[in-house]
């Protein structure tokens, strides 16, 4: 038990040094930091202790107790040295880029910790004094108190204005959960603020709609239509955070579409996962994008890299509770028989969303932005994948077993969004202006479930004799093909091999290829390919049955977009308990300007939602400027 507590003290110290708020739940902290080490160490001590006592009796017939102490000391030292050594280089790399520090000092630290563990184990064996155990548990207890208690966590400074964006959220679904008490945080905001439906804007593409929300302008004015990948240079008008930044507000943006490449700002910018590049501001936050895009990037996946991601994750906000929930999510799918590809995708999205909410909370603490915005599409993903199980009466082929397995997924996403709201608002200031906004709702797409095809990369690479030169990963309907180290010049030849393949009977190209921004080849299946046709794929140097190379997967969309979303405004200058109607997404920007007592712009397309303003502000005549756009030369 002493060695186990010594090891967990090292873990607690590292986690505490990286982030004092890592342990976010007292019960979980006590279980992980105290109960499991004591029980595990006790059981291991009973088993290993008998073996060591037997060895001590064989090796020393005169002084068995001393031999027993030395054996325990040796085992403890070796165990702690071996356990800490692999983790130290990636941990030390967070503080300095020197290889001498990582690979020279790392082993010395591991040796020192092993030596301390040896001394501790020998002392406990020799003296068994009761005061040793509280001393060994002191560091874990400090770590628990620092993160899991209000006084330990402290109060965050909050922001002047905070936008939480949940695409797909609608009152149609949320009302049901609010009535059941399953979205308490949204209900608190709604009861203390102004709320109602909000009409969306055209076109219904993520990049276009959310740029309209941020600019207060239709797509024809801001220039983002969502047809192709867009960047910040393509946005032709200023967004609300640009206007605030001009007035010396610091800005923090997380996950908002079309924020890449990020511009240098007094704050932070982590672009959306749908944005093309991995850059962030400041650059040290790039690991968050790498984690979200690790299936696409060409970085080698090594033990050290994953350890570094883990340490950086803790440093920038990942909590012990989130890691525990992640383990539960991963184990839950097979236990409940959720084997659909869409269920696995949804599980990954939920884990990513939970990590991102942790990151956002911690970044708000570290950077203290005056304006902060957080965007997650977890509700939209759930409704796209699982609406047929949420509303099975609109579909004709949903089994009772599938309803039991997947029918709660849409509600799970709403509850998860509410948990995010609660987690973020726990760090919100009392007078903070909080906006929860959705750009659309959802309804069923009736009819039979459509099915699409994805590639089976392993048999194809084997038949094409490319396994040594290429590695491939499936992401939904797309297969990302990467060249292995040393084979990068062969990419053009591999792409031609895919492009020249033909179906023997249908005489069509079965594979559609393109190159992405990382130099990966993205392969999809041609829509005219029909599985089960006993066709054969012909390619240079070989042939293979079609059904060996493609498989059907459930189509992702079982819901379609409804143009009505949800909007809640709460906090400073907002009229409490107010319900408004006929609001538009383009109204959000002028309303936020009014709530912050800033001039309105005559060229904004939307209007102030007057019902949302407190009485004094409602009767105030706001100033008006011609535009917030920069003067053209």
């Amino acid at each position: 038990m002493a060695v186990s507590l010594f090891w967990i003290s090292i873990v607690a110290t590292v986690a505490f040094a990286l982030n004092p708020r890592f342990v976010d739940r007292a019960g979980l902290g006590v279980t992980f930091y105290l109960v499991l080490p004591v029980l595990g160490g006790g059981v291991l001590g009973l088993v290993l202790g008998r073996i060591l006592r037997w060895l001590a009796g064989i090796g020393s017939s005169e002084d068995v107790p001393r031999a027993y102490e030395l054996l325990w000391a040796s085992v403890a030292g070796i165990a702690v040295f071996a356990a800490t050594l692999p983790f130290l280089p990636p941990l030390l790399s967070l503080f300095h880029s020197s290889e001498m520090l990582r690979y020279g000092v790392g082993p010395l630290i591991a040796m020192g910790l092993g030596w301390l563990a040896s001394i501790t184990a020998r002392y406990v064996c020799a003296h068994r004094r009761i005061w040793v155990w509280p001393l060994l548990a002191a560091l874990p207890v400090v770590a628990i108190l620092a993160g899991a208690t209000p006084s330990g966590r402290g109060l965050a400074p909050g922001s002047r204005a905070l936008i939480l964006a949940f695409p797909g959220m609608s009152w149609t679904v949320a009302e049901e959960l609010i009535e059941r008490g399953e979205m308490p945080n949204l209900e608190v905001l709604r009861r203390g603020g102004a709320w109602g439906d909000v009409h969306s804007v055209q076109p219904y593409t993520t990049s276009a709609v959310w740029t309209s929300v941020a600019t207060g302008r239709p797509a024809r004015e801001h220039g983002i239509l969502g047809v192709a990948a867009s960047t910040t240079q393509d946005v032709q008008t200023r967004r609300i955070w640009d206007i605030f930044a001009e007035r010396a507000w610091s800005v923090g943006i997380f996950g908002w579409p079309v924020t890449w490449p990020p511009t240098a700002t007094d704050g932070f910018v982590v672009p959306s996962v749908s944005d093309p590049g991995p850059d962030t501001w400041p650059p040290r936050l790039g690991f968050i994008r790498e984690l979200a895009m690790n299936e696409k990037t060409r970085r080698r996946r090594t033990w050290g890299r994953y350890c570094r991601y883990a340490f950086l994750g803790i440093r920038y906000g990942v909590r012990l509770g989130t890691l525990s929930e992640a383990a539960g999510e991963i184990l839950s799918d097979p236990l409940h028989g959720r084997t659909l590809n869409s269920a696995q995708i949804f599980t990954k999205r939920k884990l990513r969303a939970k990590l991102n909410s942790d990151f956002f909370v911690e970044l708000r603490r570290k950077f203290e932005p005056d304006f902060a915005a957080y965007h997650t599409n977890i509700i939209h993903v759930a409704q796209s994948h699982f609406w047929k199980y949420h509303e099975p009466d609109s579909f004709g082929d949903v089994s009772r077993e599938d309803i039991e397995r997947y029918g709660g997924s849409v509600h799970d996403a709403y509850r998860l969004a509410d948990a995010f709201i609660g987690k973020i608002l726990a760090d919100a200031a009392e007078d903070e202006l909080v906006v929860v906004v959705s750009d659309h709702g959802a309804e069923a797409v009736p009819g039979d479930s459509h099915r699409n095809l994805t590639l089976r990369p392993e048999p194809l690479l084997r038949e094409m004799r490319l396994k040594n030169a290429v590695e491939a990963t499936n992401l939904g309907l797309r297969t990302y093909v990467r060249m292995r180290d040393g084979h990068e010049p062969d990419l053009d030849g591999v792409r031609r091999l895919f492009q020249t393949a033909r179906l023997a009977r249908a005489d069509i190209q079965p594979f559609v290829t393109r190159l992405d921004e990382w130099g990966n080849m993205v392969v999809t299946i041609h829509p005219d390919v029909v599985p089960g046709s006993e066709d054969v794929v012909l390619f240079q140097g070989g042939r293979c049955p079609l059904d060996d190379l493609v498989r059907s997967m459930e189509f992702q969309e079982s819901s379609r977009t409804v143009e009505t979303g949800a909007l809640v405004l709460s906090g400073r200058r907002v009229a409490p308990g107010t319900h408004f109607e006929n609001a538009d997404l383009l109204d959000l920007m002028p309303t936020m300007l009014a709530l912050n007592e800033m001039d309105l712009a005559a060229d904004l397309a939307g209007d102030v939602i007057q019902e949302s303003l407190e009485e004094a502000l409602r009767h105030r005549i706001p100033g008006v400027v011609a535009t917030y756009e920069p003067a053209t030369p």
Side-chain angles (χ1 to χ4, degrees), residues 250-312:
S250 54
V251 171
I253 310 293
F254 197 108
W256 201 282
V258 197
T259 50
W260 181 91
T263 55
T265 184
D266 181 16
F268 63 90
V269 180
V270 179
S272 166
V273 70
S274 61
D275 283 347
D279 308 274
T280 61
W281 181 263
R284 66 177 181 271
L285 302 180
F287 80 97
I288 299 175
R289 294 277 287 154
E290 291 178 18
L291 280 172
M293 308 168 81
N294 64 356
E295 295 296 338
K296 296 181 181 180
T297 58
R298 299 174 60 84
R299 288 181 176 272
R300 296 181 62 186
R301 301 167 193 175
T302 62
W303 167 260
R305 182 170 299 282
Y306 281 126
C307 284
R308 184 172 181 272
Y309 285 159
F311 291 134
L312 281 168

Side-chain angles (χ1 to χ4, degrees), residues 152-174:
R153 286 193 302 270
L155 295 176
S159 306
R160 295 197 213 178
L162 169 65
I163 297 180
L164 304 177
F166 298 100
M169 188 175 74
S170 69
W171 294 119
T172 305
V173 179

Side-chain angles (χ1 to χ4, degrees), residues 84-108:
T84 55
L85 183 60
F87 294 97
L88 282 169
L91 175 63
L92 294 174
S93 71
L94 303 187
F95 305 99
H96 202 279
S97 60
S98 169
E99 291 193 358
M100 177 59 72
L101 178 70
R102 284 182 287 168
Y103 302 113
V105 177
L108 293 178

